[in-house]
C-alpha cells in the first residue's frame, strides 16, 4: 500500500486555526484567496458553523461549489451557508469586494476542491443531524446585489424532500435578492400541483433538459404544458407513458392535445426528442414536428402507434435530415409503405450514427426496401434490427451491405425466420451453420465489430439471449 503523504504546512495551519475560533473569525476576511478552499474543507469537515458562515461572506471566487461536498444534502450545512449569504446579500458585512456570484448546489466541480486542496481526498458529507431547523423571519435590510443558486431537480417522491423544502422557503422570503436556476429537471413521481409549485421557484428559461418518466394522464400533461412552453432553452425533452382517459370525449381529447402541442412553438433550441408510450401520438406527430425550429439530432419514438400520414411526414420533415440517432423501436411499421422509412434514412445517411429498429415487426420483403438506404449510412456505429421477421436471405444481404460501413461497431440481428419454429438445440445448430457461412466474408472486419443474433431461450439460463457470431457462444446480456 502506498504510504500517505504527510500533511502540508497549509493543511497543518488550517487544522490549528480551527482550534481557535475567535482567531479564525478575525483572520479569515484577511486571508489570500489561495488559502480559502483548504480552510473551507477543514471547517466543513469539522462542522465549524461560525467559521463557515464568515468564509461564505468573504468567499473570493465567483462560484462556491458546495454541492460537490454534499454527497447527500445536509440541512445544517445548507442553513449555515444560507445564513452567511443573508448577511452578504443585505449588506450587513463588507469584508472585501464581493466576488461570489453563484452558489452551486449540484454535485459537480469536484476538480475545484481537488486542485486547491492538493488531492482527491476532501472530507465526506457529515452525518445528518436530527435537530429541528428554524428559519429566521422578519424584516430585512435593503439588498445590495442578487445571487444565483444553481440546483438540479430530481422529483421522485410525492412531496418535496427537506432539503428542497427549506431552500425554497428561504428563497420565497427573499424575492429579488437571488434567483434559482436549474439545467436539468427529472420527474419520476410527484403530483402535478407540487411540480408546478416547484417550477414557480425556478427560472424556467435556465432549464436545458426535461425528463418526465412517470405515467401521466393527458390532462396532467396539458397542465404541465404552459411551464414547458416557458423553458425556451430546452435542448432535450423526454416524455413517457402519457395515456388518454377513456372518459374523455373526442372533442375534449383534441383540445388537450392542441393545448400541449401549441407550446412546442416556443422550444426553439430543441435538438433531442424522446417520445415513449405516448398514446395520443397517432395522427398528431405531424403537428408536433411542424413546431420545431431547430434541426433535430436525436429522435426516439418508442412503443407508439403512428399513422401512415405520421410516417410520411416524418420522412420529409425539414428538421430531421441531419439526425445522428434514430430509434423507432416498438413502432409497428408493418402497416406502412417502407418507402417512407427509406426516404428518411437516405436523407439522414450522411450523419446517422445509431439506428434502432427493434420490434418493428417488419417482414423480409419490406425490409429489403430499406437495405440500400442503410448501406448509405456511412457514419453508422450501431444497428439494431432485433425482433423483426427476417429470413436468412435478407439477413445475408444486409450483412454483406454493412461490410462497407467502416465505422460500424455493433450489429444486432434477429434469429433468422426459418429457425424460429425449431427446437432450441436444432435452432442453435442451424444458426451456427449460418454464421459459419458468413464468417469467410466477414473475417477481415470481425476484429473491429460485434455481430450478434437474438436466439431462442438459452439452454443454460432459459432467458432470451444473444449469440456472438465471432466466438460461437451465448451472451445472456447485451452491453450498451
Amino acid at each position: 500500500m502506498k504510504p500517505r503523504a504527510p500533511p502540508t504546512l497549509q493543511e497543518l495551519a488550517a487544522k490549528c486555526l480551527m482550534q481557535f475560533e475567535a482567531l479564525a473569525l478575525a483572520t479569515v476576511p484577511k486571508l489570500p484567496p489561495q488559502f480559502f478552499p483548504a480552510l473551507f474543507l477543514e471547517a466543513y469537515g469539522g462542522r465549524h458553523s461560525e467559521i463557515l458562515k464568515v468564509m461564505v461572506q468573504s468567499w473570493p471566487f465567483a462560484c462556491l461549489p458546495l454541492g460537490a461536498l454534499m454527497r447527500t444534502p445536509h440541512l445544517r450545512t445548507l442553513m449555515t451557508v444560507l445564513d452567511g449569504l443573508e448577511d452578504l446579500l443585505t449588506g450587513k458585512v463588507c469584508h472585501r469586494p464581493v466576488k461570489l456570484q453563484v452558489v452551486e448546489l449540484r454535485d459537480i466541480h469536484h476538480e475545484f476542491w481537488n486542485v486547491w486542496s492538493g488531492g482527491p481526498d476532501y472530507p465526506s458529507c457529515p452525518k445528518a443531524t436530527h435537530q429541528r431547523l428554524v428559519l429566521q423571519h422578519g424584516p430585512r435590510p435593503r439588498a445590495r446585489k442578487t445571487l444565483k443558486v444553481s440546483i438540479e431537480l430530481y422529483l421522485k417522491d410525492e412531496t418535496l424532500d427537506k432539503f428542497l423544502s427549506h431552500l425554497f422557503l428561504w428563497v420565497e422570503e427573499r424575492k429579488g435578492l437571488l434567483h434559482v436556476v436549474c439545467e436539468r429537471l427529472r420527474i419520476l413521481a410527484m403530483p402535478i400541483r407540487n411540480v408546478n409549485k416547484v417550477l414557480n421557484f425556478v427560472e424556467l428559461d435556465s432549464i436545458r433538459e426535461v425528463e418526465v418518466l412517470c405515467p401521466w394522464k393527458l390532462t396532467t400533461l396539458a397542465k404541465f404544458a404552459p411551464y414547458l412552453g416557458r423553458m425556451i432553452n430546452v435542448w432535450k425533452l423526454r416524455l413517457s407513458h402519457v395515456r388518454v382517459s377513456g372518459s374523455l370525449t373526442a372533442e375534449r381529447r383534441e383540445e388537450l392535445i392542441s393545448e400541449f402541442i401549441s407550446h412546442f412553438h416556443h422550444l426553439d433550441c430543441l435538438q433531442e426528442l424522446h417520445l415513449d408510450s405516448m398514446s395520443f401520438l397517432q395522427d398528431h406527430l405531424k403537428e408536433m414536428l411542424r413546431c420545431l425550429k431547430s434541426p433535430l439530432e436525436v429522435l426516439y419514438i418508442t412503443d407508439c402507434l403512428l399513422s401512415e400520414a405520421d410516417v410520411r411526414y416524418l420522412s420529409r420533415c425539414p428538421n430531421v435530415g441531419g439526425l445522428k440517432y434514430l430509434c423507432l423501436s416498438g413502432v409497428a411499421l408493418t402497416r406502412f409503405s417502407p418507402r417512407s422509412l427509406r426516404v428518411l434514412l437516405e436523407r439522414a445517411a450522411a450523419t446517422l450514427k445509431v439506428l434502432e429498429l427493434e420490434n418493428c415487426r417488419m417482414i423480409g420483403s419490406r425490409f429489403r426496401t430499406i437495405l440500400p438506404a442503410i448501406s448509405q449510412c456511412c457514419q453508422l456505429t450501431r444497428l439494431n434490427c432485433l425482433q423483426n421477421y427476417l429470413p436468412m436471405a435478407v439477413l445475408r444481404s444486409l450483412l454483406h451491405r454493412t461490410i462497407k460501413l467502416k465505422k460500424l461497431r455493433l450489429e444486432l440481428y434477429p434469429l433468422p425466420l426459418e429457425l424460429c419454429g425449431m427446437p432450441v438445440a436444432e435452432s442453435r445448430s442451424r444458426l451456427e451453420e449460418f454464421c459459419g457461412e458468413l464468417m469467410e466474408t466477414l473475417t477481415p472486419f470481425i476484429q473491429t465489430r460485434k455481430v450478434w443474433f437474438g436466439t431462442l431461450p438459452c439452454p443454460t439460463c432459459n432467458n432470451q439471449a444473444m449469440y456472438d457470431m465471432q466466438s460461437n457462444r451465448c451472451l445472456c446480456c447485451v452491453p450498451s
Side-chain angles (χ1 to χ4, degrees):
M1 180 181 295
K2 187 177 179 180
R4 182 180 177 87
T8 64
L9 289 177
Q10 183 175 333
E11 291 172 338
L12 291 174
K15 290 180 181 295
C16 182
L17 192 59
M18 290 300 108
Q19 299 175 18
F20 303 95
E21 184 174 284
L23 177 62
L25 294 177
T27 303
V28 163
K30 305 173 185 178
L31 289 175
Q34 59 266 31
F35 286 95
F36 267 74
L39 191 60
F40 190 94
L41 292 176
E42 191 66 37
Y44 179 87
R47 302 184 189 177
H48 299 282
S49 298
E50 291 302 315
I51 298 177
L52 276 178
K53 182 177 177 180
V54 173
M55 293 200 74
V56 170
Q57 296 168 354
S58 307
W59 193 249
F61 305 102
C63 177
L64 174 57
L66 188 65
L69 306 181
M70 300 168 66
R71 300 286 171 79
T72 54
H74 182 240
L75 292 182
R76 178 59 59 189
T77 305
L78 173 65
M79 297 311 298
T80 297
V81 172
L82 295 183
D83 286 344
L85 293 176
E86 172 79 6
D87 292 343
L88 183 67
L89 289 170
T90 57
K92 287 183 179 180
V93 294
C94 187
H95 297 308
R96 64 173 77 194
V98 177
K99 293 187 177 181
L100 184 60
Q101 300 175 18
V102 180
V103 176
E104 181 59 77
L105 296 181
R106 294 177 296 167
D107 187 15
I108 60 174
H109 296 316
H110 294 272
E111 70 282 355
F112 173 88
W113 302 107
N114 292 340
V115 169
W116 284 99
S117 64
D121 299 319
Y122 49 79
S124 59
C125 178
K127 293 182 179 179
T129 61
H130 298 286
Q131 303 174 24
R132 184 177 179 182
L133 299 177
V134 180
L135 292 172
Q136 299 298 321
H137 302 274
R140 301 179 302 277
R142 186 174 180 180
R144 294 183 58 193
K145 63 171 294 182
T146 59
L147 190 70
K148 181 188 296 183
V149 178
S150 180
I151 62 174
E152 182 172 291
L153 289 174
Y154 184 53
L155 309 180
K156 57 184 177 64
D157 299 311
E158 290 293 311
T159 58
L160 282 181
D161 57 33
K162 291 183 179 180
F163 174 76
L164 287 178
S165 295
H166 280 81
L167 176 64
F168 287 149
L169 180 57
W170 191 83
V171 169
E172 184 177 28
E173 295 179 344
R174 288 150 184 85
K175 289 181 180 178
L177 298 183
L178 45 82
H179 50 119
V180 180
V181 299
C182 170
E183 287 196 5
R184 189 179 187 189
L185 167 65
R186 301 183 71 198
I187 306 173
L188 275 76
M190 182 172 282
I192 188 61
R193 63 181 181 276
N194 290 343
V195 172
N196 293 346
K197 288 179 181 178
V198 171
L199 296 181
N200 286 330
F201 287 101
V202 178
E203 292 194 353
L204 297 180
D205 59 0
S206 68
I207 298 177
R208 305 297 305 279
E209 300 181 40
V210 178
E211 297 183 75
V212 179
L213 306 178
C214 53
W216 271 3
K217 295 180 180 179
L218 182 57
T219 50
T220 304
L221 184 64
K223 293 177 182 177
F224 176 73
Y227 290 91
L228 177 63
R230 292 163 56 193
M231 302 175 191
I232 57 176
N233 291 307
V234 163
W235 66 268
K236 176 181 178 180
L237 174 61
R238 182 178 179 184
L239 301 172
S240 67
H241 295 87
V242 177
R243 57 188 177 87
V244 179
S245 173
S247 61
L248 288 177
T249 64
E251 182 179 0
R252 179 57 177 159
R253 177 178 179 272
E254 292 302 314
E255 287 178 359
L256 292 172
I257 295 173
S258 297
E259 166 66 14
F260 166 67
I261 293 179
S262 67
H263 294 281
F264 259 65
H265 285 286
H266 305 293
L267 307 183
D268 295 353
C269 301
L270 191 63
Q271 297 179 10
E272 185 169 334
L273 179 60
H274 299 246
L275 303 172
D276 176 45
S277 299
M278 306 285 283
S279 61
F280 69 87
L281 196 59
Q282 187 174 9
D283 293 320
H284 294 93
L285 181 63
K286 177 180 178 179
E287 300 172 49
M288 192 176 295
L289 295 179
R290 287 179 65 178
C291 297
L292 301 179
K293 298 179 181 179
S294 300
L296 282 179
E297 293 187 0
V298 179
L299 178 61
Y300 277 62
I301 302 176
T302 56
D303 295 320
C304 296
L305 286 176
L306 298 180
S307 66
E308 179 82 39
D310 291 328
V311 179
R312 192 183 306 116
Y313 182 80
L314 175 61
S315 68
R316 63 174 187 267
C317 176
N319 289 318
V320 300
L323 283 175
K324 295 181 180 179
Y325 300 85
L326 174 62
C327 177
L328 296 175
S329 295
V331 177
L333 298 175
T334 54
R335 300 180 291 119
F336 315 130
S337 168
R339 284 190 289 272
S340 294
L341 180 56
R342 176 174 176 172
V343 170
L344 175 60
L345 295 178
E346 288 173 343
R347 292 183 58 214
T351 57
L352 196 62
K353 294 182 177 181
V354 174
L355 177 59
E356 301 273 352
L357 296 175
E358 182 172 348
N359 193 26
C360 291
R361 287 164 273 182
M362 297 184 70
I363 59 175
S365 59
R366 290 176 174 268
F367 206 89
R368 282 186 185 275
T369 304
I370 67 172
L371 292 186
I374 292 177
S375 64
Q376 295 176 33
C377 297
C378 56
Q379 302 297 321
L380 205 62
T381 61
R382 176 185 171 101
L383 174 62
N384 181 357
C385 301
L386 290 169
Q387 297 187 52
N388 289 286
Y389 309 118
L390 307 182
M392 286 184 177
V394 173
L395 288 169
R396 186 181 290 109
S397 177
L398 178 56
L399 280 160
H400 284 180
R401 288 176 180 271
T402 57
I403 287 175
K404 302 175 184 178
L405 304 179
K406 297 181 180 180
K407 296 187 178 182
L408 193 57
R409 294 294 177 265
L410 178 61
E411 301 170 67
L412 306 175
Y413 298 119
L415 187 71
L417 187 61
E418 294 90 340
L419 311 185
C420 290
M422 295 182 177
V424 173
E426 185 179 354
S427 171
R428 182 64 58 84
S429 176
R430 289 288 304 277
L431 182 59
E432 290 179 6
E433 292 177 8
F434 176 62
C435 292
E437 296 173 8
L438 296 171
M439 278 301 293
E440 184 176 349
T441 303
L442 295 176
T443 296
F445 310 93
I446 208 69
Q447 297 301 322
T448 59
R449 64 177 61 178
K450 290 290 185 181
V451 182
W452 292 345
F453 285 87
T455 69
L456 295 172
C458 172
T460 303
C461 66
N462 201 37
N463 292 323
Q464 182 79 15
M466 302 301 299
Y467 177 82
D468 184 353
M469 191 171 122
Q470 181 179 358
S471 62
N472 292 332
R473 62 189 176 90
C474 170
L475 303 176
C476 296
C477 62
V478 182
S480 57

